[in-house]
Amino acid sequence: MIGLKDVAQACGLSVTQVSRALNGKSDVSLATRERVERVAAQIGYVKNLTAQSLSSKQSNQLAVIIRGLDGKRESTSFVIDAIRGINAFARQNGYETVVHFIEEIPESYESYCRQRGVGGMMLFNVNFNDESFIRLQESSFPCVGIDMAMSGENKGCVIVNNANYTTLAMQQLIKRGRKKIALIAGDPGAFVTIERQSGYEMALRQAGMEPDPKLMGCGEFRLEDARSETLRLMKESPDIDGFFCMSDLMAIGTIDALNSLGYKLPEQVSIFGFDGLPLTDYIHPVLSTIKQDHIKKGYHAARLLTQIMRGEQDERTVVLPCELWLRESL
Amino acid sequence: MIGLKDVAQACGLSVTQVSRALNGKSDVSLATRERVERVAAQIGYVKNLTAQSLSSKQSNQLAVIIRGLDGKRESTSFVIDAIRGINAFARQNGYETVVHFIEEIPESYESYCRQRGVGGMMLFNVNFNDESFIRLQESSFPCVGIDMAMSGENKGCVIVNNANYTTLAMQQLIKRGRKKIALIAGDPGAFVTIERQSGYEMALRQAGMEPDPKLMGCGEFRLEDARSETLRLMKESPDIDGFFCMSDLMAIGTIDALNSLGYKLPEQVSIFGFDGLPLTDYIHPVLSTIKQDHIKKGYHAARLLTQIMRGEQDERTVVLPCELWLRESL
DNA sequence: TAGCAGTTCCGAAACGTTTCGGAAAAAACA
DNA sequence: TGTTTTTTCCGAAACGTTTCGGAACTGCTA
């Protein structure tokens, strides 16, 4: 492997000087800098990032840690979108992104990163009441939660106002005269599930209705589970006239179930989703949903993380807006 | 940071011995091994993987390099599936996976990895006629292509027989009496596009029909493009009675376009897709498609790569089977 | 001419591991 | 007892970089 030493030799310079030249440091004359760059390129030198990060005790890598892809949630296009956003910011600002898809919860998120010379991380889909997560929350390791509130030293998060938008969506259903609106919930361990559930209940109470556990199913953010839960609910309460589904994917399951039971949509039953997947334009009835910008979410997460890592004090919680898409399924 | 040195000090041993103990090497007595492990855990030692990989000149990381997520292909659930498969193998065999989503083609894929101390990579979605890719192909750096043929020293690939299955699908359309079958192609730079196109043409010729450029649209693997291309084709040739779409996602676009034109499906027009997304169960008419197992694809890619990296001679091209799903849309 | 500042350079240590060659200690044998 | 083998240990170098403190030049001023 061609190292700094080889370049130095070829230039008749010291390793120190070559390093400084290549890194744009000050103590080097223009002439030598150019010569070093030329020679380095010529003999095919590539910097060893491993050594660099060992020596400098830090890397330019932003870690994204994503959990829970094993079987549970099938559509994960928003994960990709968030990564795209993260990547966009990272590239513009001289960082690079490494994505770690993990299954087991690490003993410690912090040492997981430290082991790898990564100075900060973004967390996705982690279960907010697991042991390691709580420890992380109490540490001072730079970390940004996506779709999950985080606070504390060197912590930040990018979220949307789930409760609020859910309430707004529910109000639309109620405004259209829906009297018995069921809920298809997501993974009970997820932050967003809890928030959206409270938004659902809030809207009902505001309209003078009492939330009824008989009208709530758990779809685990999976299309198929949403389908079967919808069938179950409709069997128990055939007069349900509206569904709020915590994800578009689950809404597709609900629609499929209702179709198979012969309900006319949206005349007999209204459906509302959450996410704003591009796909929802193409299902019938065209889905009413709450559009989130996942790319922007990722972008802001990366921005926030780098600010935290550089110690810049700033807003630590970014709340992004969503759009209410009122369409055929309403 | 707590290092080997600290553990050694706490144990009254040398750094060497502690390293050996922690790595399960031979030259260490059971008693000391246990003591070292206990002390290490107690004082909170975590191994520094950066230093390890610098010293040992190799890491246990498998890199996955994924390109072209910027805007082009919107649904990428199969990317996630492949990663899940890769992860599964990696975890079982003591490797870990790092995913690099890149946009710019690196100057050299090989040095991109070497810089990061990664000994081998899996390539996804790369454009097979770009400059750097050709150089890589000629190098001896361990690499496995997913959905793209690769050969040469320390190269391998995991593919499916795209041409074959496309022909089989086409035969089904022809068998059902379809006379004018259009093609919605993917990204022209993609390996699979070329293969599937040749399968399409092959089937037509076998049935005594001549492939007609007037019946071919380019959907770029994007739903929206497939939709508009379908509209264009139907306008030019309203008597098209079948579509072979190179991805399920594009098939959804085609179906949507045909619906909006008022065609009765599948009575007037048959549609065939490719991929076998779970979602295709829920669109109407239920899509006929070629089901690929992306998880298995990833799993085999990782297996192949590790074999190559360890220098085990073995089959270097894995061809996975698909399933023909003949359903309503036919 | 010496004194001084500014620029450009370099040696050596450090980052935390692994590993080679050999040394010390323990065990086995004569 | 001394000799050999086996087991257990250690010092030191190496991986490729960064960085600190100081050294060697250059050109300028007094």
Side-chain angles (χ1 to χ4, degrees):
Chain A
M1 163 170 279
I2 297 163
L4 234 35
K5 202 164 41 177
D6 306 278
V7 182
Q9 210 153 9
C11 291
L13 283 172
S14 73
V15 171
T16 306
Q17 211 56 3
V18 174
S19 168
R20 300 187 63 86
L22 259 21
N23 289 327
K25 295 297 179 64
S26 54
D27 272 9
V28 39
S29 72
L30 186 62
T32 50
R33 166 160 303 150
E34 279 169 353
R35 187 157 56 95
V36 167
E37 277 166 357
R38 194 163 33 76
V39 172
Q42 199 208 319
I43 69 175
Y45 166 76
V46 293
K47 145 179 315 188
N48 182 325
L49 294 177
T50 308
Q52 172 172 260
S53 100
L54 176 62
S55 177
S56 65
K57 288 158 133 338
Q58 60 178 352
S59 75
N60 70 334
Q61 290 189 337
L62 304 181
V64 192
I65 300 193
I66 301 179
R67 232 182 48 85
L69 250 45
D70 51 338
K72 288 217 82 173
R73 298 163 179 78
E74 64 241 86
S75 168
T76 38
S77 73
F78 59 89
V79 171
I80 299 273
D81 280 344
I83 292 173
R84 279 166 56 186
I86 291 171
N87 244 357
F89 179 86
R91 224 172 31 254
Q92 290 165 14
N93 295 79
Y95 293 91
E96 76 174 34
T97 325
V98 221
V99 185
H100 295 260
F101 290 91
I102 63 176
E103 298 302 347
E104 313 90 7
I105 299 168
E107 170 63 23
S108 150
Y109 285 105
E110 175 171 358
S111 38
Y112 184 86
C113 286
R114 285 206 193 283
Q115 280 197 340
R116 289 159 181 77
V118 177
M121 65 178 144
M122 285 159 276
L123 245 45
F124 214 124
N125 247 1
V126 311
N127 211 310
F128 69 94
N129 43 24
D130 88 43
E131 183 58 34
S132 312
F133 177 71
I134 293 169
R135 257 203 312 282
L136 170 65
Q137 178 104 309
E138 287 162 355
S139 81
S140 67
F141 195 77
C143 178
V144 169
I146 300 178
D147 272 340
M148 129 180 311
M150 282 195 86
S151 61
E153 197 182 349
N154 291 327
K155 301 289 177 294
C157 60
V158 181
I159 52 179
V160 301
N161 200 327
N162 287 287
N164 220 233
Y165 283 104
T166 302
T167 301
L168 287 175
M170 286 292 291
Q171 286 171 350
Q172 292 294 329
L173 290 168
I174 292 167
K175 197 168 112 187
R176 277 164 178 75
R178 300 310 183 180
K179 299 285 179 216
K180 207 162 179 182
I181 305 171
L183 177 73
I184 302 292
D187 184 338
F191 178 78
V192 294
T193 299
I194 293 171
E195 287 216 318
R196 290 173 197 173
Q197 172 127 13
S198 84
Y200 166 82
E201 294 178 0
M202 166 90 77
L204 288 179
R205 292 214 175 84
Q206 281 177 352
M209 314 185 210
E210 195 53 33
D212 179 0
K214 287 243 154 65
L215 297 181
M216 304 182 192
C218 177
E220 295 270 355
F221 286 126
R222 295 169 58 175
L223 198 156
E224 187 48 42
D225 287 7
R227 208 182 78 91
S228 55
E229 283 291 273
T230 302
L231 291 176
R232 181 179 67 76
L233 290 174
M234 291 312 284
K235 191 171 167 191
E236 291 174 9
S237 321
D239 55 339
I240 288 174
D241 55 7
F243 274 90
F244 182 82
C245 301
M246 288 196 189
S247 80
D248 287 344
L249 214 72
M250 294 198 296
I252 294 177
T254 293
I255 289 176
D256 194 73
L258 293 173
N259 276 331
S260 73
L261 291 175
Y263 284 89
K264 278 252 168 295
L265 307 181
E267 291 77 5
Q268 292 176 272
V269 189
S270 295
I271 294 118
F272 223 104
F274 207 118
D275 275 344
L277 298 187
L279 205 72
T280 55
D281 298 352
Y282 301 94
I283 60 177
H284 298 284
V286 174
L287 191 63
S288 297
T289 185
I290 295 155
K291 162 68 178 172
Q292 309 194 61
D293 190 337
H294 293 105
I295 296 183
K296 195 170 284 181
K297 238 187 228 175
Y299 189 91
H300 278 90
R303 188 181 56 75
L304 205 54
L305 180 60
T306 57
Q307 282 184 346
I308 290 176
M309 287 167 66
R310 287 198 305 264
E312 296 169 14
Q313 195 57 41
D314 198 13
E315 193 55 54
R316 288 292 160 87
T317 296
V318 175
V319 181
L320 293 177
C322 299
E323 289 171 19
L324 220 52
W325 282 359
L326 306 178
R327 305 194 291 185
E328 290 174 14
S329 75
L330 202 53
Chain B
M1 165 170 278
I2 297 164
L4 274 184
K5 201 164 43 176
D6 306 279
V7 182
Q9 209 152 9
C11 291
L13 284 172
S14 73
V15 172
T16 307
Q17 210 56 3
V18 173
S19 169
R20 300 186 63 84
L22 258 21
N23 288 329
K25 295 296 178 65
S26 54
D27 272 10
V28 39
S29 72
L30 186 63
T32 50
R33 167 159 301 150
E34 280 169 351
R35 186 157 57 94
V36 168
E37 278 165 356
R38 193 162 35 75
V39 172
Q42 201 209 317
I43 69 174
Y45 167 76
V46 293
K47 141 178 320 186
N48 182 326
L49 294 177
T50 308
Q52 172 172 260
S53 101
L54 176 61
S55 177
S56 64
K57 285 157 131 346
Q58 58 178 355
S59 75
N60 70 334
Q61 290 188 340
L62 305 181
V64 191
I65 299 193
I66 301 178
R67 230 183 50 83
L69 250 45
D70 51 338
K72 288 216 82 173
R73 298 163 180 77
E74 63 241 89
S75 167
T76 37
S77 72
F78 60 90
V79 170
I80 299 273
D81 279 345
I83 292 173
R84 279 167 56 186
I86 291 170
N87 244 357
F89 179 87
R91 224 171 31 253
Q92 289 164 16
N93 295 79
Y95 293 90
E96 77 173 34
T97 325
V98 221
V99 185
H100 296 259
F101 290 91
I102 63 176
E103 297 303 346
E104 312 92 4
I105 301 168
E107 170 64 22
S108 150
Y109 285 106
E110 175 172 357
S111 39
Y112 184 86
C113 285
R114 285 207 193 283
Q115 279 197 341
R116 290 159 181 77
V118 176
M121 65 178 143
M122 285 160 277
L123 245 44
F124 214 124
N125 249 2
V126 311
N127 212 311
F128 68 94
N129 42 24
D130 87 44
E131 184 56 36
S132 312
F133 177 71
I134 294 170
R135 259 203 310 282
L136 170 65
Q137 179 105 307
E138 287 162 356
S139 81
S140 67
F141 194 77
C143 178
V144 169
I146 299 179
D147 272 341
M148 130 178 312
M150 283 196 85
S151 61
E153 196 181 349
N154 292 327
K155 301 290 179 295
C157 61
V158 181
I159 50 178
V160 302
N161 199 326
N162 287 287
N164 220 232
Y165 282 104
T166 302
T167 301
L168 288 174
M170 287 292 292
Q171 286 170 350
Q172 292 294 330
L173 290 168
I174 293 167
K175 198 169 110 187
R176 275 163 181 78
R178 299 309 182 180
K179 300 286 180 216
K180 205 160 181 182
I181 305 171
L183 176 73
I184 302 292
D187 185 338
F191 179 78
V192 296
T193 299
I194 293 170
E195 288 217 317
R196 291 173 197 172
Q197 172 130 12
S198 85
Y200 165 83
E201 295 178 359
M202 166 90 77
L204 289 178
R205 293 215 174 81
Q206 281 177 355
M209 313 185 208
E210 196 52 34
D212 179 1
K214 287 245 154 65
L215 297 181
M216 305 181 191
C218 177
E220 294 271 355
F221 286 126
R222 294 168 59 174
L223 198 156
E224 188 48 42
D225 286 9
R227 208 182 80 91
S228 56
E229 282 293 273
T230 302
L231 291 176
R232 182 179 66 77
L233 289 174
M234 292 310 286
K235 192 171 168 191
E236 293 174 8
S237 321
D239 55 339
I240 289 174
D241 55 6
F243 274 89
F244 181 81
C245 301
M246 288 198 190
S247 79
D248 287 344
L249 213 71
M250 293 198 297
I252 294 176
T254 293
I255 288 177
D256 193 73
L258 293 173
N259 276 331
S260 74
L261 292 175
Y263 284 88
K264 276 252 168 297
L265 306 181
E267 291 77 6
Q268 292 177 272
V269 189
S270 296
I271 294 116
F272 222 105
F274 208 118
D275 275 344
L277 298 187
L279 206 71
T280 55
D281 299 352
Y282 300 95
I283 61 177
H284 298 284
V286 174
L287 191 62
S288 298
T289 185
I290 295 156
K291 161 70 180 171
Q292 309 194 63
D293 190 337
H294 293 105
I295 296 183
K296 195 171 283 179
K297 237 186 228 175
Y299 188 91
H300 278 90
R303 188 180 57 72
L304 205 53
L305 180 60
T306 56
Q307 282 183 346
I308 290 175
M309 287 168 66
R310 287 199 304 264
E312 296 169 15
Q313 194 57 42
D314 197 12
E315 193 55 55
R316 287 292 161 87
T317 296
V318 175
V319 181
L320 293 179
C322 298
E323 288 171 20
L324 220 53
W325 282 359
L326 306 177
R327 305 194 291 186
E328 290 174 14
S329 75
L330 202 54

